[in-house]
Amino acid sequence: MTLLEEVKTRLAITGTFHDALLSAYIDDVKAYLTSAGVDAESASAVGVIARGVADLWNFGAGEGKFSEIFYQRVIQLSVDKNEEPIEPEDNFSSY
Protein backbone atom coordinates (compact mmCIF):
# COMPACT_ATOMS: atom_id res chain seq x y z
CA MET A 1 0.00 0.00 0.00
CA THR A 2 1.37 3.43 -0.89
CA LEU A 3 1.58 6.22 1.65
CA LEU A 4 -1.21 8.07 -0.14
CA GLU A 5 -3.43 4.97 0.03
CA GLU A 6 -2.61 4.48 3.72
CA VAL A 7 -3.46 8.11 4.55
CA LYS A 8 -6.71 7.87 2.60
CA THR A 9 -7.63 4.66 4.45
CA ARG A 10 -6.93 6.24 7.83
CA LEU A 11 -9.00 9.30 6.90
CA ALA A 12 -11.80 7.24 5.32
CA ILE A 13 -11.35 8.92 1.94
CA THR A 14 -12.33 7.04 -1.21
CA GLY A 15 -11.85 7.85 -4.86
CA THR A 16 -9.09 9.86 -6.48
CA PHE A 17 -10.57 13.35 -6.67
CA HIS A 18 -8.47 14.70 -3.76
CA ASP A 19 -5.27 12.76 -4.51
CA ALA A 20 -3.25 15.76 -5.73
CA LEU A 21 -4.17 17.87 -2.70
CA LEU A 22 -3.58 14.99 -0.28
CA SER A 23 -0.21 14.27 -1.90
CA ALA A 24 0.80 17.92 -1.47
CA TYR A 25 -0.19 17.80 2.20
CA ILE A 26 1.73 14.55 2.64
CA ASP A 27 4.82 16.26 1.19
CA ASP A 28 4.34 19.23 3.56
CA VAL A 29 4.02 16.98 6.61
CA LYS A 30 7.01 14.86 5.57
CA ALA A 31 9.10 18.03 5.19
CA TYR A 32 8.05 19.14 8.68
CA LEU A 33 8.97 15.74 10.13
CA THR A 34 12.34 15.73 8.39
CA SER A 35 13.17 19.20 9.72
CA ALA A 36 12.28 17.91 13.20
CA GLY A 37 14.76 15.06 12.81
CA VAL A 38 12.16 12.35 12.23
CA ASP A 39 12.60 9.71 9.53
CA ALA A 40 9.50 10.50 7.48
CA GLU A 41 9.94 7.25 5.54
CA SER A 42 9.72 5.02 8.62
CA ALA A 43 6.72 2.84 9.38
CA SER A 44 6.23 4.62 12.70
CA ALA A 45 5.73 7.95 10.90
CA VAL A 46 2.64 6.87 8.93
CA GLY A 47 0.19 7.68 11.71
CA VAL A 48 1.57 11.14 12.38
CA ILE A 49 1.65 11.85 8.65
CA ALA A 50 -2.05 10.95 8.42
CA ARG A 51 -2.78 13.13 11.48
CA GLY A 52 -0.86 16.04 9.96
CA VAL A 53 -2.68 15.69 6.63
CA ALA A 54 -6.03 15.66 8.45
CA ASP A 55 -5.01 18.77 10.40
CA LEU A 56 -3.99 20.67 7.28
CA TRP A 57 -6.98 19.60 5.25
CA ASN A 58 -9.43 19.84 8.13
CA PHE A 59 -12.16 18.75 5.74
CA GLY A 60 -12.21 22.12 3.99
CA ALA A 61 -12.43 24.34 7.08
CA GLY A 62 -9.28 26.14 5.96
CA GLU A 63 -7.66 26.52 9.38
CA GLY A 64 -4.45 24.94 8.15
CA LYS A 65 -2.72 24.35 11.50
CA PHE A 66 -1.39 21.31 13.26
CA SER A 67 -3.11 19.84 16.31
CA GLU A 68 -1.59 19.35 19.74
CA ILE A 69 -1.54 15.56 19.27
CA PHE A 70 0.41 16.01 16.04
CA TYR A 71 3.06 18.09 17.81
CA GLN A 72 3.27 15.63 20.72
CA ARG A 73 3.74 12.67 18.38
CA VAL A 74 6.43 14.48 16.38
CA ILE A 75 8.30 15.17 19.62
CA GLN A 76 8.01 11.51 20.62
CA LEU A 77 9.33 10.34 17.26
CA SER A 78 12.15 12.88 17.24
CA VAL A 79 13.33 11.69 20.65
CA ASP A 80 12.92 7.95 20.04
CA LYS A 81 15.71 7.09 17.63
CA ASN A 82 15.72 3.38 18.56
CA GLU A 83 19.18 3.83 19.95
CA GLU A 84 20.87 1.06 21.85
CA PRO A 85 20.22 1.47 25.56
CA ILE A 86 23.17 2.56 27.64
CA GLU A 87 24.06 -0.13 30.14
CA PRO A 88 24.78 1.21 33.62
CA GLU A 89 28.27 0.59 34.91
CA ASP A 90 28.60 -2.03 37.59
CA ASN A 91 29.97 0.22 40.31
CA PHE A 92 29.62 -2.45 42.96
CA SER A 93 32.05 -4.97 41.49
CA SER A 94 35.07 -3.32 43.13
CA TYR A 95 33.66 -3.61 46.68
Side-chain angles (χ1 to χ4, degrees), residues 22-80:
L22 292 171
S23 293
Y25 286 155
I26 288 170
D27 290 343
D28 290 343
V29 173
K30 286 174 64 176
Y32 185 92
L33 293 175
T34 300
S35 70
V38 175
D39 179 4
E41 302 300 325
S42 70
S44 59
V46 174
V48 74
I49 291 171
R51 174 74 264 160
V53 169
D55 290 345
L56 292 175
W57 186 27
N58 200 17
F59 301 102
E63 290 181 27
K65 61 182 180 178
F66 292 127
S67 63
E68 185 65 27
I69 190 68
F70 173 83
Y71 289 125
Q72 290 175 4
R73 188 65 180 128
V74 170
I75 291 168
Q76 288 174 336
L77 290 173
S78 69
V79 172
D80 180 19

Side-chain angles (χ1 to χ4, degrees), residues 80-95:
D80 180 19
K81 301 292 184 187
N82 294 320
E83 297 175 1
E84 292 294 317
I86 299 171
E87 296 296 324
E89 293 181 29
D90 185 2
N91 293 328
F92 300 107
S93 62
S94 61
Y95 294 108

